[in-house]
Structure formats: structure tokens, C-alpha cells
Amino acid sequence: MEKRNFFQRLTGHFFTITRHRHQVIKHCKKAGILWQGLRHDLSKYTPTEFIPGVKFYTGHRSPNEGEREVFGYSKAWMHHKGRNRHHFEYWIDFTLNPDEGLQGMPMPTRYVLEMFCDRIAASKNYNRKNYDDSFPLAYYEKNKSHYILHKDTKELLERLLHMLADEGEDKTFAYIRKNIDWKHSPKW
């Protein structure tokens, strides 16, 4: 693959994150959590995240992967997950029992729904014309062995991903609006 110049990386990264954010806003609106969508991923426009995003932009994978390859970790990702509650990594903490170590804490429902919308948008963004409603579930299934999720968070996310894959976007968002009370978390 040819090396991209600075302007190509700058515009490519900007349009990729903006297109993704607009898709999340659209999906959050369908889920009845528009405010979540409007605030989604604003930290990606801060220098800590945006500059490495441009530097490591390739157009076919997350710039965080490139930053990890160079430095062994991604400072942009560390910044991002610490400021965006729709990432399950934000909710990992030690339990009161030191023998249990790190655990996934229950995510408020509004953030689980935003995470669900984020996964759909990311799948659409990376797969474009090849996308179908099974892609977010397939990506989750491929990676879930190393996810640290609270059992209730995991149950809701998996239920929605399976519903999306089996019944499609319209039925899944209708189900969310009718059956998921995101105002009273973490119970659903």
C-alpha cells in the first residue's frame, strides 16, 4: 500500500471519525438516547487523540493499533477509554475482595445502549457496502474471550447483538425503545 501524505491522513482520519460519530448519533436517536449520541466520542477531536489518529491513520484499521505497534501501548486509547463511558473498559475496577482482582462493573443501561450503537456504526464504517446486521455480533464473538464485562452488561449487549443479527435493525431498535428502561440503571 502506498504511503499517505499528511493531508491525506488528516482528512481521512477527520472524515472517518466524523462519519462514525454521525452514524452513532443516528443509531442513538433510533434507540431513544439522542443525548448520548450527541456527546459520543467528542474526545477524539482533542489533541491527545486526534494527533496520533492522524499520524497512524491507514484507512483500514484503528490508528490505535499502529500506535500500539510503535510504543507498546496507545496513549490515545488510554485517554479515550478513560473519558467515554460507553466503553466497557471504563467500568473495570478492583472488587472489594482483593482475591477477585479486576472485574467488570455494571454499566448503566444508557451506556450499554450507546456501546451497542457504537458497535453497529463501527461495523458499518469499516465494512461499508459489505455490511450486514450480523457483523457487530461476529466482531464481538471473535473478541469476547478477553473482554472483562459484568454479567448483566454482557447479557444485555449479547441479547441486542443477537437480536440485531437475527431480526434486523428496525426490530431491534423498536424493542429497545419499547422494552429497555435506560433511565433506571443498571436494572433492565
Side-chain angles (χ1 to χ4, degrees), residues 2 14-15 25 34 42 51 55 62 69-70 75 102 119 123 136-137 139 146 149 173 185:
E2 71 182 64
F14 177 78
F15 288 121
I25 292 168
L34 177 60
L42 290 174
I51 293 169
K55 182 176 181 179
S62 169
E69 289 170 357
V70 172
K75 186 176 180 182
L102 291 171
R119 288 171 178 270
S123 291
L137 175 62
Y139 183 81
H146 61 270
L149 290 164
F173 283 117
S185 295

Side-chain angles (χ1 to χ4, degrees), residues 33-163:
I33 55 166
L34 177 60
W35 181 245
Q36 295 296 122
L38 293 172
R39 297 176 53 206
H40 182 81
D41 278 358
L42 290 174
S43 69
K44 285 188 178 180
Y45 299 94
T46 64
T48 303
E49 294 181 37
F50 192 79
I51 293 169
V54 171
K55 182 176 181 179
F56 295 103
Y57 176 81
T58 65
H60 67 274
R61 69 179 188 160
S62 169
N64 296 340
E65 292 177 29
E67 188 180 26
R68 260 186 220 102
E69 289 170 357
V70 172
F71 299 112
Y73 71 99
S74 171
K75 186 176 180 182
W77 171 245
M78 300 296 283
H79 184 270
H80 186 75
K81 72 179 176 93
R83 284 155 184 79
N84 293 278
R85 296 176 184 179
H86 66 277
H87 289 287
F88 68 86
E89 295 90 345
Y90 180 95
W91 300 94
I92 296 172
D93 199 358
F94 287 98
T95 64
L96 293 174
N97 180 352
D99 295 333
E100 293 176 354
L102 291 171
Q103 301 268 322
M105 300 297 129
M107 286 177 68
T109 305
R110 74 178 72 205
Y111 298 118
V112 179
L113 295 177
E114 184 182 354
M115 176 171 53
F116 172 71
C117 294
D118 186 35
R119 288 171 178 270
I120 296 170
S123 291
K124 286 181 176 181
N125 220 11
Y126 282 110
N127 296 288
R128 303 283 181 102
K129 294 177 183 175
N130 297 323
Y131 172 83
D132 73 54
D133 288 334
S134 69
F135 282 34
L137 175 62
Y139 183 81
Y140 172 82
E141 291 288 339
K142 181 176 85 170
N143 295 291
K144 75 177 182 177
S145 65
H146 61 270
Y147 290 167
I148 301 174
L149 290 164
H150 186 273
K151 64 180 177 58
D152 294 338
T153 300
K154 180 179 178 181
E155 186 277 326
L156 177 57
L157 179 60
E158 289 183 1
R159 179 172 15 128
L160 296 176
L161 290 170
H162 280 280
M163 185 180 293

